[in-house]
Amino acid sequence: MRSRPSSPTAITITVLNLLPQKSNLKFSTSISNPSTRSLFFTRTPKSQPQTRFPSSTVRSLFTGIVEEMGQVKHLGSTADGGFDLKIRASTVLEGVHLGDSIAVNGTCLTVTEFTDEDFTVGLSPETLRKTSLIELEAGSAVNLERAVQPTSRMGGHFVQGHVDGTGEIVGKDTEGDSLWVKVKVDRGLLKYVVPKGFIAVDGTSLTVVDVFDEESCFNFMLVAYTQQKVVIPFKNVGQKVNLEVDILGKYVERLLSSGFVESIKPAA
């Protein structure tokens, strides 16, 4: 039979950062002696730095419902070799924090500085290559949307803020008080665009009306109210727009190309 130690021992096991990153809880298991065990939560100071583990999951999600149009104050290189974009805004600054995500013309960007009247985001070389943001200049209007919260209404569709590419406006026509817009796009993206399907154009959740495969184009219509709330009507024929296709189409393509369908077929 195992003998009991002559004096009590104390063992403390602490596991940090197994809870969500924004949590300031610490999970502890304390053993005051070999036969007694207690389990409890203790609160750690908010000022204590927390380790952030890399993750491949989607960190932000948007709906494609533009909250406001901001105005570019500055776009250019920084002293340390980076590239900054400063935008005048109001609505999206409510409750903003450093590190928050804001979609600018459909591009998910991280807030690096902010004041009561503007905020700054950094632009990577890949972002400048992949999007139309490089065409912006002081005074340009941009669509702005904050990342959704668990209590937000999903008014548009799932938009990640990961721009797939750009399209070129090749036509604008009015019909009553509505505006028809036609966009030419690379065929590699056009295959994901379907009539009556979703697409994000400069971060605006829109419904595709028609797809013109022979022209490598698609079109959509903006009602009068939407025309007053987004930047697309202010752009001219020949200008670029950021495009993000519906993620569901890409998932389906991936499943089909990976042989998933064949793998679940019943054996003959």
Side-chain angles (χ1 to χ4, degrees):
M1 183 175 67
R2 183 180 298 176
S3 60
R4 183 181 298 275
S6 57
S7 59
T9 60
I11 304 175
T12 301
I13 302 172
T14 302
V15 183
L16 293 173
N17 292 316
L18 293 182
L19 296 169
Q21 292 181 353
K22 291 187 177 180
S23 172
N24 60 344
L25 296 177
K26 178 175 67 178
F27 180 78
S28 300
T29 301
S30 177
I31 306 176
S32 58
N33 58 61
S35 61
T36 304
R37 179 174 295 176
S38 63
L39 192 65
F40 58 93
F41 286 95
T42 59
R43 187 169 295 275
T44 59
K46 290 186 177 180
S47 59
Q48 180 175 337
Q50 298 187 23
T51 304
R52 292 181 177 269
F53 295 98
S55 172
S56 59
T57 58
V58 177
R59 301 182 67 88
S60 300
L61 191 67
F62 306 89
T63 68
I65 304 300
V66 176
E67 293 188 273
E68 69 170 319
M69 285 189 287
Q71 186 180 52
V72 174
K73 295 180 67 175
H74 171 77
L75 175 67
S77 302
T78 61
D80 58 2
F83 211 81
D84 276 354
L85 172 62
K86 179 177 286 189
I87 300 170
R88 180 180 291 108
S90 57
T91 302
V92 298
L93 294 176
E94 296 173 4
V96 70
H97 297 88
L98 291 178
D100 281 357
S101 295
I102 295 179
V104 180
N105 278 1
T107 309
C108 179
L109 300 172
T110 302
V111 175
T112 57
E113 296 177 7
F114 68 91
T115 68
D116 292 338
E117 61 179 26
D118 57 45
F119 68 94
T120 300
V121 292
L123 301 177
S124 69
E126 176 66 7
T127 299
L128 294 171
R129 285 191 295 265
K130 197 79 172 180
T131 72
S132 64
L133 298 181
I134 191 64
E135 296 183 351
L136 297 175
E137 57 187 19
S140 295
V142 288
N143 292 333
L144 301 176
E145 182 192 356
R146 291 168 293 186
V148 299
Q149 297 179 336
T151 56
S152 301
R153 296 179 63 182
M154 181 57 68
H157 71 283
F158 292 122
V159 177
Q160 295 177 285
H162 301 164
V163 175
D164 292 304
T166 59
E168 179 186 347
I169 297 176
V170 294
K172 292 174 65 179
D173 298 287
T174 58
E175 183 178 344
D177 63 354
S178 295
L179 177 67
W180 284 97
V181 181
K182 192 172 186 178
V183 177
K184 185 177 179 64
V185 62
D186 182 88
R187 293 189 181 277
L189 280 183
L190 189 67
K191 64 181 179 179
Y192 301 111
V193 183
V194 297
K196 304 303 182 284
F198 286 122
I199 191 167
V201 180
D202 273 346
T204 306
S205 176
L206 297 169
T207 301
V208 176
V209 178
D210 290 307
V211 177
F212 309 94
D213 290 308
E214 67 282 358
E215 301 176 50
S216 193
C217 295
F218 70 92
N219 68 358
F220 56 87
M221 177 178 277
L222 300 176
V223 298
Y225 177 83
T226 304
Q227 293 176 49
Q228 300 171 15
K229 302 297 181 180
V230 301
V231 302
I232 299 169
F234 301 107
K235 291 194 170 183
N236 301 315
V237 171
Q239 286 191 280
K240 293 182 179 179
V241 288
N242 291 329
L243 301 175
E244 181 183 335
V245 298
D246 192 350
I247 186 66
L248 295 179
K250 292 189 284 187
Y251 277 131
V252 171
E253 180 186 55
R254 178 64 175 169
L255 287 173
L256 293 175
S257 64
S258 67
F260 172 77
V261 175
E262 294 297 322
S263 70
I264 61 175
K265 283 184 177 179

